[in-house]
Amino acid sequence: LKARWNDARKLSEEMKRVVGLWDHVTTNTLVQAAVRANDFEAAENILAENTMTVKDNKQRQHPNADGYTSLIEGFLKDGRLENAVATLKTMKNRNVQPNEYHYASLIGGLARQKKIVQAEKLLSHVQAVGIAPSSQRVIYNSLISGLIHKDYVLRPDDFDKCVDRAVSFLRDMIGAKVIPDANTVTVILDGFGRCQSPRIVEAVTLVEKLEQEGIIAKDHSKIQTALLGVFAAAGDLKEATKCFRRIRRPDVAAVNALIDASVRCGKDKIAMDTFDFYFRGERPRINPDVISFTTLIGAYLNQGSLDGARIARELYHEMKFQRRLYPDKVLVDIIVTGVIENTRRCGVQAPDARFLAAVLRDAEKLDWGEGQLRRRKWAVESAMSKHVAVAWNEEAELYGLWKEHRKSEEEFFQRRGWNKVDSGFRLWGAGRNHFEQTSSTDKFLESKGWNDIDSGFRII
């Protein structure tokens, strides 16, 4: 990111030398780039030097409003609430009128830090300055979402109180004639599901009441998906399935929720059958996403068996090479944690070392914080070295996980007896030809009714 940011700065300097080339879009884009690189000082300087003076006050929003939104959100993401509040004051000094998105970011940030009194005061200010009720919805949504934010660690009792407060804000919202949308309701339902004891009765009652009053559409797909999650949290797969059946046209989020519900309830086979029905076959009904694979991979790794580990590898292979989907940080952590746990539960084999090496190489493409990826690599190194040291060292070198120890490509090929053109090497089965699979693989394919030609899917 820093390298790309430096390139962007150099390009912006060239643009300044061309008269008429720099505009408000340039400013906003450059601020966004600076924030992504955590160079907040540069972002502030860019806005200080390039905020446009607007004579026409009839414009709906200032041309540089998006730049200030990026800066405020960046400060909040970095935990610098005071700087975010100061930015709002700076905007007013520069005659940049804050809009609902600036206020939503700040109020949401206050709520995430559980500064509820300050959030309420700022909300009262928003209502006093005359922002239309239709525009206040995004602000209320941010407030409610911030209250029950997933990343904030709370004691169970305290979290339940936050959910109660969120419901109270929903009532205030409706009382102020600000109509909630599906996003508002799904956030609260998610909160009900994460309470100390999932609050099923309240969740069902809330949905029924809002449907009866015409505030939300009956059997709204997004809301039914969220309600499904509440039943899943309570371990009630039967009711979760009923919610799913009310959805006329399930999307990938709904199918993922049903797969997750099956896994939570210990029904891994139902989860896999659901995956097969919607995502596989000659004409898949829906295309899966990374979350679809993440849920199943986590479930099979959690079985603590060599067979479960094998299926997890197969799923990852399908995800990456057939679906052209790449892991996110959540999936990387699930795999790393799952395989390391399996070293204690069922042991690991050479294919596990190969699997982890490939995953960690894929992880290098993701945006990690300082030292985060290296810590994961060392955790894997420690676990693998105790169980499959030779296989791990070979795979780690092959994938260049420790570049300072990497040897020449030629040496790797010679050591394994490969040549560069026709090695017969496959990521999930080194030294075997594509058609020379184990008998267990063939039985698995036959049981699913697949063949090598038609399925397009090969087991790892």
Side-chain angles (χ1 to χ4, degrees):
L1 278 176
K2 289 182 179 179
R4 291 198 293 269
W5 165 231
N6 288 332
D7 291 340
R9 295 181 78 166
K10 291 176 183 177
L11 182 60
S12 68
E13 292 300 323
E14 294 178 15
M15 291 179 67
K16 285 181 178 180
R17 290 193 284 269
V18 181
V19 178
L21 194 58
W22 190 291
D23 61 8
H24 69 282
V25 177
T26 311
T27 301
N28 296 342
T29 303
L30 201 59
V31 168
Q32 187 179 53
V35 169
R36 285 181 177 175
N38 283 330
D39 194 342
F40 294 105
E41 183 179 354
E44 289 179 301
N45 290 337
I46 292 164
L47 286 169
E49 295 170 6
N50 299 286
T51 296
M52 295 177 64
T53 301
V54 178
K55 295 180 180 179
D56 183 9
N57 292 325
K58 294 181 181 179
Q59 283 186 299
R60 186 178 182 275
Q61 71 172 26
H62 191 280
N64 296 122
D66 288 345
Y68 283 97
T69 301
S70 297
L71 182 58
I72 289 173
E73 290 179 346
F75 277 135
L76 291 170
K77 186 177 180 180
D78 201 48
R80 298 163 67 173
L81 181 60
E82 291 182 2
N83 296 84
V85 173
T87 301
L88 190 70
K89 296 177 180 178
T90 300
M91 288 174 64
K92 293 179 179 179
N93 293 335
R94 294 174 184 165
N95 293 319
V96 180
Q97 184 63 37
N99 59 32
E100 63 268 29
Y101 298 104
H102 299 116
Y103 286 121
S105 296
L106 274 176
I107 289 174
L110 288 165
R112 278 193 295 275
Q113 294 194 21
K114 303 301 172 274
K115 298 181 182 295
I116 309 303
V117 174
Q118 293 92 324
E120 287 182 298
K121 287 182 179 179
L122 189 52
L123 178 60
S124 298
H125 171 74
V126 167
Q127 294 167 333
V129 297
I131 289 183
S134 59
S135 297
Q136 289 182 34
R137 181 165 58 198
V138 66
I139 299 173
Y140 272 101
N141 284 356
S142 185
L143 172 59
I144 291 170
S145 178
L147 266 173
I148 50 183
H149 192 250
K150 290 183 179 180
D151 293 340
Y152 198 90
V153 180
L154 288 172
R155 292 184 306 172
D157 289 346
D158 290 336
F159 181 78
D160 281 9
K161 292 175 183 176
C162 286
V163 174
D164 291 338
R165 198 72 186 90
V167 174
S168 176
F169 278 122
L170 175 63
R171 294 194 194 97
D172 295 344
M173 183 180 183
I174 296 172
K177 295 183 169 45
V178 180
I179 306 302
D181 59 9
N183 293 325
T184 321
V185 181
T186 54
V187 168
I188 292 177
L189 291 176
D190 180 64
F192 282 143
R194 289 189 291 117
C195 284
Q196 193 169 6
S197 297
R199 294 157 63 168
I200 296 174
V201 175
E202 290 174 78
V204 172
T205 302
L206 175 65
V207 172
E208 289 178 347
K209 182 176 178 60
L210 294 177
E211 285 180 345
Q212 290 169 1
E213 295 182 2
I215 293 175
I216 58 173
K218 184 173 176 58
D219 294 337
H220 190 289
S221 61
K222 192 170 184 178
I223 293 172
Q224 287 300 320
T225 299
L227 190 58
L228 186 163
V230 180
F231 283 112
D236 192 338
L237 184 57
K238 182 179 179 180
E239 290 299 323
T241 304
K242 287 182 181 179
C243 292
F244 183 80
R245 288 174 178 163
R246 293 190 196 107
I247 303 172
R248 295 177 184 176
R249 294 182 179 177
D251 57 10
V252 66
V255 176
N256 287 347
L258 184 59
I259 291 172
D260 179 65
S262 303
V263 168
R264 287 192 187 199
C265 296
K267 305 294 182 181
D268 291 351
K269 186 179 184 304
I270 294 177
M272 181 62 89
D273 289 344
T274 303
F275 188 97
D276 289 343
F277 182 80
Y278 284 98
F279 299 142
R280 286 176 175 159
E282 291 184 6
R283 294 182 180 180
R285 291 165 174 80
I286 308 171
N287 290 320
D289 58 16
V290 174
I291 296 172
S292 314
F293 286 94
T294 297
T295 305
L296 273 185
I297 288 172
Y300 280 100
L301 285 175
N302 196 47
Q303 287 182 357
S305 68
L306 294 177
D307 193 52
R310 174 184 60 80
I311 296 174
R313 296 195 302 270
E314 294 165 1
L315 286 164
Y316 190 84
H317 179 271
E318 179 185 355
M319 180 191 81
K320 185 177 174 183
F321 295 103
Q322 283 188 247
R323 309 292 184 162
R324 297 290 186 255
L325 296 171
Y326 290 87
D328 56 14
K329 289 190 284 188
V330 173
L331 179 52
V332 170
D333 280 349
I334 283 174
I335 292 172
V336 168
T337 303
V339 176
I340 290 176
E341 285 294 320
N342 279 347
T343 63
R344 293 187 282 271
R345 293 186 291 193
C346 63
V348 291
Q349 299 175 325
D352 295 307
R354 190 176 304 124
F355 178 40
L356 273 184
V359 171
L360 289 175
R361 185 59 183 269
D362 292 336
E364 291 177 352
K365 301 180 179 70
L366 301 173
D367 182 23
W368 297 91
E370 186 68 31
Q372 287 182 339
L373 181 56
R374 177 161 288 273
R375 287 195 293 273
R376 285 156 175 80
K377 286 183 178 180
W378 281 118
V380 171
E381 170 87 3
S382 175
M384 293 296 104
S385 296
K386 295 176 183 177
H387 299 273
V388 283
V390 174
W392 169 250
N393 289 335
E394 288 183 354
E395 300 302 337
E397 287 181 327
L398 174 63
Y399 283 99
L401 297 182
W402 311 108
K403 293 182 175 62
E404 60 270 26
H405 300 304
R406 188 174 184 177
K407 300 181 180 179
S408 69
E409 181 189 67
E410 191 66 36
E411 184 179 346
F412 282 118
F413 280 92
Q414 290 175 357
R415 210 160 103 196
R416 295 210 171 206
W418 303 333
N419 60 64
K420 294 182 181 179
V421 178
D422 186 19
S423 67
F425 169 74
R426 287 208 165 297
L427 176 60
W428 305 111
R432 288 188 293 171
N433 185 275
H434 179 67
F435 297 101
E436 296 174 353
Q437 304 292 330
T438 63
S439 59
S440 61
T441 293
D442 294 330
K443 289 178 182 178
F444 185 85
L445 288 170
E446 289 171 4
S447 71
K448 292 293 183 183
W450 299 333
N451 58 62
D452 291 345
I453 298 174
D454 295 335
S455 70
F457 175 75
R458 285 304 305 179
I459 301 301
I460 300 169

